[in-house]
Amino acid sequence: MKNNRKLSSWNVISIVILLLALLFVLYPLFLVLSKSVFNQDGFTLENFTRFFERKYFWVTLLNSFKVTIVATMLSVIIGLPLAYLLRRVKIFGSKFIQILIIVSYISPPFIGAYAWIQLLGRSGVVTKFINNTFQINFDGIYGFSGIVLVLTLQSFPLIFIYISGALKNLDNSLIEAAESLGYSNIQRVLKVVVPLIIPTILASSLLVFMRVIADFGTPMLIGEGYRTMPVLIYQQFMSEVGGDAGFAAALASIFILVTIALFLFQRIISRQFSYSMSALKPMSVQPSKGIKNILSHTLVYAVTFLAILPQLVVLYTSFLETVGGQVYTGNFSLDNYYTILFNRDVSMIINTYKMGFISIIIIIIIGIFISYLTIRKRNMINSILDTVSMLPFVIPGSVLGIALVFAFSDQPLFLTGTVTIMIISFIVRRIPYTIRSSTAIISQISPSIEEAAISLGASETKAFYKVVVPMMMPGVLAGAIMSWITILGELSSSIILYSAGTQTLSVSIYTEVIRGNFGNASAYSAILTLTSIVSLLLFFKLTGKKELSL
């Protein structure tokens, strides 16, 4: 009887969490699909017909694919050699370089877009230098090339982080054997290293692909005439929310189906290359001399500099005096910080930390339960819960924002414009990070440890809280820090859901850039960037780790 009661308590937790997932994930997405094919006259495919009949709309989907495929490929081309060099060649300051690369990744992409506008926009510093020096009319990085540049430099660190972890498990004796057979350095990489880490390349490429195709801020800021699906969905929804929400729902539905199909395709491909490695002789860093050493250092330093450049630009310009918020005088000043902290409402800063803190606490609690239930308490309910909880990973933020508006803009749950709906959005969007890392760590904890605690008189619940949870914390913290940092920079869903009382730092940065108040935007961006860096350093301090593994 006692065991049944304990089993029932876990079942109750499973059912409660599943009901919450159904309410805040599946129900809103169902409404998006429903509104795309139903109107006041009943069932209709008019919205989908409109999309495919007009080139203006379906070309946007192709644009998203072009940007995403190119940015993903370039990210691999940059991230793979960089990870290999830092694992294989002794690079001066390698630890610091790895931290800089991670910092460049955790900063929101739209901040990178804004920084590159400062450098290579029509009035950018580099643009003016090029035009004045070479007497040409360079018009800036707007459009396809600008979007790809920003998203590539923002995304390759993710490839780098994953491949660096995989190279730890690569047996160096295989590389030495290839060398003894006369393989050159490039041949050893292409014919030995790359085939062995294909599963990692595919997994990290999927993450980059999903991140790039769903990005809203970058193409919105520098895309100009080059439209992508997240921007089109946002524009259609915001302009037609009162009259033709069905078409925005149809766009969102198409995007949902495309991203889910791509995700499933990648999973199928990954299974074909699924295998594990055990490094009897791990790869070690070797000193290099001559031209090889110079080229290695030059490549690593150049790529790292380009990656971290947006953060440096933001910090630098935040201390520059401006005229009218747009024109920099070249003089250093604290006016931008004084303006945003003392002459303006600081609620957006408070909102960001308050809503983020509440969200991350809930994410940690729910993430621990979901990962434990799906690994230790396998049944049909928990399998469904596992699938539903990971669904937001492939759902673009703009689509989720629209879905939540559809679901909670009327009674009995009128949440639109409230703090609650913002927190729900943060939790739904970012909980997959914590679930993935928590699931990975609990899979490594032997069930016999729990059984030993229970055999010593501890209840199952006490064994969970006193034994399992503390052992899970390194993995939980790794996921939580990524959830926290991405919550701070969340824009794509927030730009749809926020109200005057729930505006966040990311929304403030975006609106200031749109209005041309670059000084204020830099100050807000600097605060957001420094918060992310401090969070990362705190993570290193609490866990004792020297690098971030995902």
Side-chain angles (χ1 to χ4, degrees):
M1 190 71 180
K2 187 176 180 181
N3 288 334
N4 289 336
R5 187 167 62 251
K6 289 181 180 178
L7 184 61
S8 296
S9 66
W10 285 112
N11 283 341
V12 169
I13 294 173
S14 298
I15 293 171
V16 170
I17 297 177
L18 180 59
L19 289 175
L20 290 174
L22 293 175
L23 177 62
F24 296 119
V25 179
L26 287 189
Y27 173 62
L29 294 178
F30 170 78
L31 286 183
V32 171
L33 298 174
S34 176
K35 287 182 180 292
S36 68
V37 294
F38 287 97
N39 58 21
Q40 62 271 20
D41 299 322
F43 181 82
T44 178
L45 294 176
E46 178 185 350
N47 293 315
F48 292 96
T49 302
R50 178 181 171 191
F51 174 82
F52 289 106
E53 283 183 345
R54 293 189 59 184
K55 184 178 180 181
Y56 175 86
F57 294 126
W58 60 260
V59 163
T60 303
L61 183 59
L62 295 181
N63 288 345
S64 288
F65 277 117
K66 289 177 185 177
V67 166
T68 306
I69 291 171
V70 174
T72 302
M73 291 177 63
L74 289 176
S75 296
V76 174
I77 291 172
I78 296 172
L80 173 58
L82 192 67
Y84 180 77
L85 283 174
L86 284 169
R87 287 290 181 198
R88 187 69 174 168
V89 180
K90 187 174 183 180
I91 302 294
F92 179 76
S94 60
K95 295 296 183 183
F96 183 64
I97 287 171
Q98 291 182 52
I99 292 176
L100 290 180
I101 292 173
I102 293 173
V103 168
S104 70
Y105 169 71
I106 64 178
S107 179
F110 68 91
I111 290 183
Y114 160 64
W116 281 105
I117 289 175
Q118 301 276 43
L119 293 171
L120 288 170
R122 291 190 180 89
S123 300
V125 176
V126 178
T127 302
K128 288 181 178 179
F129 173 79
I130 292 174
N131 290 338
N132 293 334
T133 303
F134 301 101
Q135 298 300 309
I136 60 176
N137 187 27
F138 175 59
D139 200 36
I141 61 165
Y142 302 97
F144 174 81
S145 59
I147 298 173
V148 169
L149 170 69
V150 172
L151 292 177
T152 298
L153 291 176
Q154 180 69 31
S155 301
F156 87 83
L158 185 60
I159 304 287
F160 169 83
I161 293 170
Y162 267 87
I163 292 180
S164 292
L167 292 177
K168 282 184 178 180
N169 299 320
L170 186 65
D171 197 332
N172 196 52
S173 60
L174 298 174
I175 299 176
E176 292 173 349
E179 185 178 6
S180 66
L181 292 173
Y183 280 45
S184 66
N185 286 329
I186 295 178
Q187 287 177 320
R188 291 198 294 272
V189 172
L190 295 180
K191 295 186 177 182
V192 179
V193 176
V194 171
L196 288 172
I197 60 173
I198 278 181
T200 302
I201 294 174
L202 290 174
S204 56
S205 296
L206 171 68
L207 296 180
V208 169
F209 194 99
M210 291 302 176
R211 176 181 175 134
V212 172
I213 200 170
D215 187 73
F216 163 79
T218 301
M220 189 67 178
L221 289 177
I222 63 176
E224 292 198 341
Y226 197 88
R227 303 173 309 278
T228 61
M229 280 297 284
V231 174
L232 179 62
I233 291 171
Y234 170 79
Q235 290 174 337
Q236 292 297 317
F237 179 75
M238 298 306 289
S239 62
E240 302 184 49
V241 65
D244 194 10
F247 185 59
L251 294 174
S253 299
I254 292 169
F255 210 31
I256 290 173
L257 295 175
V258 167
T259 53
I260 291 178
L262 290 170
F263 177 74
L264 294 176
F265 175 74
Q266 190 275 342
R267 293 290 293 271
I268 293 172
I269 296 297
S270 295
R271 291 194 187 101
Q272 305 301 317
F273 298 94
S274 180
Y275 49 81
S276 60
M277 294 185 293
S278 180
L280 299 176
K281 185 180 180 183
M283 183 183 295
S284 59
V285 174
Q286 301 293 331
S288 182
K289 297 180 180 179
I291 188 66
K292 180 182 176 181
N293 186 50
I294 295 173
L295 290 176
S296 298
H297 277 78
T298 301
L299 177 61
V300 170
Y301 289 163
V303 171
T304 305
F305 175 74
L306 287 176
I308 202 67
L309 184 57
Q311 285 71 37
L312 298 177
V313 170
V314 162
L315 291 173
Y316 176 74
T317 55
S318 70
F319 291 103
L320 290 182
E321 183 182 64
T322 62
V323 177
Q326 298 182 354
V327 180
Y328 292 106
T329 64
N331 298 322
F332 288 101
S333 171
L334 294 175
D335 287 349
N336 296 325
Y337 290 98
Y338 185 84
T339 298
I340 67 170
L341 295 176
F342 300 104
N343 286 347
R344 289 195 171 196
D345 185 5
V346 295
S347 62
M348 67 282 295
I349 300 175
I350 298 173
N351 287 340
T352 301
Y353 296 128
K354 180 180 70 174
M355 293 188 294
F357 182 74
I358 295 172
S359 300
I360 202 63
I361 294 298
I362 298 174
I363 283 174
I364 289 173
I365 294 172
I366 296 179
I368 289 174
F369 276 120
I370 291 177
S371 59
Y372 182 82
L373 290 168
T374 54
I375 298 299
R376 291 286 197 264
K377 307 290 181 181
R378 295 182 184 274
N379 56 41
M380 186 180 67
I381 293 177
N382 292 334
S383 295
I384 296 173
L385 177 60
D386 184 39
T387 302
V388 174
S389 63
M390 292 306 297
L391 189 60
F393 177 72
V394 298
I395 302 299
S398 54
V399 172
L400 179 64
I402 292 173
L404 291 175
V405 170
F406 285 159
F408 304 111
S409 59
D410 203 355
Q411 298 299 336
L413 277 177
F414 180 79
L415 301 175
T416 303
T418 65
V419 170
T420 302
I421 201 168
M422 294 288 287
I423 292 175
I424 290 170
S425 171
F426 292 156
I427 294 171
V428 171
R429 283 273 286 153
R430 303 308 179 184
I431 198 171
Y433 289 103
T434 301
I435 292 175
R436 285 169 66 92
S437 61
S438 300
T439 300
I441 194 73
I442 198 172
S443 298
Q444 300 172 12
I445 300 174
S446 174
S448 61
I449 297 177
E450 283 179 83
E451 295 168 0
I454 294 172
S455 67
L456 292 173
S459 64
E460 187 178 0
T461 303
K462 189 173 183 180
F464 170 71
Y465 286 111
K466 296 290 187 179
V467 178
V468 179
V469 172
M471 295 182 70
M472 288 176 62
M473 287 316 293
V476 173
L477 287 176
I481 193 66
M482 289 307 301
S483 296
W484 164 255
I485 290 171
T486 50
I487 283 173
L488 294 178
E490 172 62 33
L491 177 66
S492 54
S493 62
S494 299
I495 197 69
I496 293 173
L497 296 172
Y498 87 98
S499 62
T502 60
Q503 187 168 332
T504 60
L505 267 173
S506 59
V507 174
S508 299
I509 295 167
Y510 172 78
T511 54
E512 292 294 337
V513 173
I514 294 297
R515 293 168 184 166
N517 296 326
F518 297 135
N520 295 341
S522 291
Y524 283 131
S525 299
I527 292 174
L528 189 57
T529 299
L530 289 174
T531 301
S532 300
I533 294 172
V534 170
S535 301
L536 183 64
L537 295 177
L538 182 61
F539 165 75
F540 290 151
K541 180 69 175 178
L542 292 176
T543 61
K545 293 185 177 182
K546 295 183 179 179
E547 57 186 32
L548 182 63
S549 57
L550 300 175

